[in-house]
Structures are given as C-alpha cells and as structure tokens.
Amino acid sequence: MQERYDLIVIGSGPGGYVAAIKAAKMGMKTAIVERREIGGTCLNRGCIPTKTLMYSSHLYAIAKEFQELGIHCSGLSYDLNRIQDRKDQVVDKIRKGTKSLLESNGVTIIEGNATIMDADSIRIQNADEETFLTTDRILIATGSNPIIPAIEGINSKNVITSDELLSQRDQLYSKLIIIGGGVIGIELATFYLEMGSAVEIIEAADRILPNMEKEVSQSVAMNLKKKGAIIHTKAKVVKIIEDSDNSLICEYEEKSGQKSTSAKGILVAVGRRANTEGLFGNDISIAMDGAHIKVNEKFQTSIDNIYAIGDVIKGRQLAHAASAQGIATVEIMNNQTPSIHLDIIPSCIYTSPEVAVVGMSEEEAKANDLEIKVGKYPMLGNSKTILSTGERGFVKVISDTASGRIIGATLFCERATDMVGELATAIANGLTSQDLASVIRPHPTYEEAITEAVEDIGGMAIHLMPRRR
Ligand code: NAI
C-alpha cells in the first residue's frame, strides 16, 4: 500500500512545480505528476524557447546595423540548426535545474498521466503500469493547449501552432502568415521579421493585441510595419488551400471583400484553451466555468480539497501569475494569508522594443471615471536609448489624483520587461508619484525614464520641453 500524501500536484509547469516546492518547504509530503517534460508549456514550448530564439534573432537584427556602430562584419548569416541546438540546451539546463530543485526539496516526481478518481485518490497511468495514490489534497495545474479554429484546410501540412514553429529546423519559411495578432502571434512575428522573413498577420479584432490599451496596439503595429509586416485587422480566415508548389493559399474576408494571400507556412495563434482532457474519472464531477475549472477566491474547486491554478482556471494565462497562485494556494492550505498581491500582475510582450504593463491603463481608468493624472516620457529623450540606437517608445505612469498613488504603468521601450517590477512594487505598496520621484536612478539607464514620467505628472520633468501654457 502506497503512503498517503498531504498534497499531489498534477502538472509541473510554473504553477505546479512552484506550488510543489513551496508545499515541501512548508513541511507537506508532496508528489508532482507529469506526463510530458518537467517544466510545462512555459519551459518546453512557450516562454523560454521563444525568448531564447528571440535572443538570437535580436542579435542578428542588431548585427545587420553594425555598420552604423562602426563595426565591420562581412558574410553575416545564421544557422537555424545551431540556434535550435542552443535553445534545446537552454531548455534542458533549466529543466534539469527544476528537477533537482524538486528532488532536493523532497518532492516525489511521478511520471505518467494522472486521473482524479475521487476527492482523495488519483490513478497514474504510464506505458505499462497503472498505480493508485491517495492524498489529503490535490492541486490541478494542468495548463492549456493551443486552440485550433474550425477553418477549412486548417489541418494542411505546414499549418502549425507555436509548438511546431519553436522546433522548426533547417530553414524558416521565407514568408509566414500568422492567424491571430495576440501575444504569441506578435512575438513570433518579431522573431520571423528579425530573421529576415516576410510576415503577414490576419487578426479578427479591430486591432492587434486587442486586450491591451489602444496606444500599445498602435505603437506595436507601427513598429512591426516599419520592420516590413503586413497587418490585416477585422479580417477572418475562411479557407486554407494547399497549392501544387507546396504553398498554402489563405483566403480571408476583410472590410473590402474576400482576398487571398499565400505563403509556405501558416502559424495559428488564436488563443489557448484549458487542458482538462482525461483529468477526471467517471465517478467524479467538478463545476466548470465555461471551458475552465471553476474556483473560489481560495482556488478551491467545487470539491473542497481539490484546488486549481494557472491556465486551467479563468484569468490571465501567464507563467508568473500561475506561480504566484501556486504559492498562495499552498499558503491557504496551511491556513496562512496569501503573501502575494494576486491582483497586480505585470504583463509583458517581448517585441523590440518591449512592452510591459501593470495595474490600470489610462483607458481603463478613464472608462471607470477615475480622477487620474498621467505622466509620460518619450524614450527618444533618454540618453541610454539614444546611445544604444534605441527606437521610439515611452514610459507612462498613471496616478490617482486624490491620493497621488501610482495605479498603473505602461512601458514601451527597451528592457521594459525588466523595469516593470518597480512599478508593480509601487502599486502593491501604495507608493505615490512623489515616492517614486524621491529616489536616485543611475545615469545613463533606461529607468531614468521612470523618474521623468513620474515628475511629468506634476509638470516637472527636467528632460522634457515645457508644456505650452
Ligand atoms: P491571445 O488571446 O493573446 O491572442 C489571440 C488573438 O487571436 C486575439 O487577438 C484574437 O482576436 C485573435 N483571433 C482569435 N480567433 C481568430 C481567428 N479565427 N482569426 C484571426 N484572429 C483570431 O492568444 P495567444 O497569442 O495564442 O496567446 C495565448 C496566451 O498565452 C495568452 O493569454 C497570452 O497572454 C499568453 N502568452 C503570454 C506571453 C507573454 O507573457 N510574453 C507569451 C506568449 C503567450
């Protein structure tokens, strides 16, 4: 008879593995079940491989501008196989690190497919074995899978999801059509454009990145177009046809009628859906919220001792949100108050320049009739941006007029993703624009733009032309 666990976590992505380590550190006898590779989508098919490939593409794009920097470089080219090898090494290194963190904290790693049979028992199936484990609590962290829309011809060869695109070897398509101008579509468009391929984006909404504020959508769209992308909005793909020369013809409808375009490859990036397939046995039923598992504010499902976090529940599909929920859930299981502000979730897009937002956008604040003040600093006035041949961008900070507290920020600039944490800290701790202006930021840095933006709230930014009186 197997020993009973305090907690079994299903899924080892950033939600599950972080929760498992936290639980072990808090003294719970913990196991984690994974049917694929340790690390989940983020490590194996998402954030890490994408950003590793983009590190190469970004350097390649910069290398094309070497002349301007006084550096001579001839015969510049790339080797996609080598780029992919390095990406695999990065993923492998982090995966091994994650595995040894789990092991050294005493978490039992179980390989196999987990099915919840009832509130305290789980069946594990792998190639030739079936075992049953019992536990006091279960945490579901099974993540999400790409949505495949019902479009005629969607199953054609070379119509791929981000999973396949991230392991593409030998050569990139000379042109890629991307269905869906969301975060995945836009990041992979950036990778393709930086590597020198042509990109055409077909987005159903009236703008790319429709979940972001308009100013971000417009700035990113302008930037992508400058790099050569063609973007169609309010456009709907109706049919994909395989042509005789291995090309794909993509027929789509937009305002001006039915059109078609062709490429060797089509990326489908229209969102991700909660992964619950095969998760529940016949004798258990759990309340759903649409396609997601329904949870209360304690991350409990309709069965008290079964919890769920991350992409499998409704909310932001972000690795760091899942990790934070994992930590909070384990704290709740141990009768502690969550130590993390779960409502303040920075959101990042690794374009060039990067996008990072946190808290309320100017648009949202206005839509909610809040009295706000906005400070904004254009990056073309920032010394670090100028000396490193940076592009147009901005840092925008929003404060509540009455209290002066920072309630939101939007960064569209180099290293935005590394800087947004400071604004998240400010929002979480109720800091005012004055508090943020009162610290010395080093020179020359991108983060000097935060000083300027918060000073601009009171019209006092030093490196900004005075507003017309
Ligand atoms: P998404 O929800 O961000 O974007 C999907 C886009 O496809 C939307 O703009 C939508 O309007 C459009 N769309 C939907 N159906 C369509 C159709 N039939 N034709 C044309 N357009 C259509 O989903 P995405 O990009 O697949 O990303 C999935 C999740 O992963 C998101 O929640 C995203 O935030 C997360 N993610 C986060 C990253 C980051 O933090 N840097 C990186 C990659 C993904």
Side-chain angles (χ1 to χ4, degrees), residues 46-47 50-51 144 146-147 149-151 162 178-187 202-211 235-237 268-272 311 315-320 346-350 417:
C47 323
T50 314
K51 274 80 217 182
S144 60
I147 294 174
I151 296 171
S162 54
I178 302 179
I179 307 179
V183 186
I184 294 183
I186 295 309
E187 287 188 347
I202 302 178
E203 164 59 51
D206 60 355
R207 57 194 168 96
I208 59 162
L209 301 172
N211 298 327
K236 192 168 166 252
V237 175
V268 181
V270 297
R272 299 180 62 89
D311 284 11
R316 311 278 289 279
Q317 293 179 323
L318 295 168
H320 45 278
S347 188
C348 299
I349 314 175
Y350 292 76
T417 62

Side-chain angles (χ1 to χ4, degrees), residues 59 61-72 385-390:
L59 288 182
I62 291 173
K64 287 187 219 163
E65 310 293 326
F66 268 176
Q67 196 78 11
E68 196 191 331
L69 301 172
I71 302 168
H72 298 299
T385 304
I386 298 169
L387 72 87
S388 49
T389 66

Side-chain angles (χ1 to χ4, degrees), residues 56-128:
S56 289
S57 68
H58 194 48
L59 288 182
Y60 183 61
I62 291 173
K64 287 187 219 163
E65 310 293 326
F66 268 176
Q67 196 78 11
E68 196 191 331
L69 301 172
I71 302 168
H72 298 299
C73 170
S74 59
L76 185 69
S77 65
Y78 67 82
D79 173 350
L80 189 60
N81 271 310
R82 176 69 199 107
I83 291 173
Q84 287 289 5
D85 285 347
R86 198 186 80 85
K87 179 212 74 186
D88 292 343
Q89 285 157 12
V90 168
V91 170
D92 195 50
K93 188 170 180 176
I94 301 177
R95 194 189 296 132
K96 283 188 181 129
T98 308
K99 196 161 180 261
S100 63
L101 274 175
L102 285 163
E103 285 164 349
S104 59
N105 276 285
V107 176
T108 306
I109 301 174
I110 300 167
E111 283 174 31
N113 199 31
T115 303
I116 302 173
M117 305 308 287
D118 61 46
D120 74 344
S121 119
I122 290 181
R123 182 184 66 204
I124 315 285
Q125 286 171 301
N126 52 33
D128 42 28

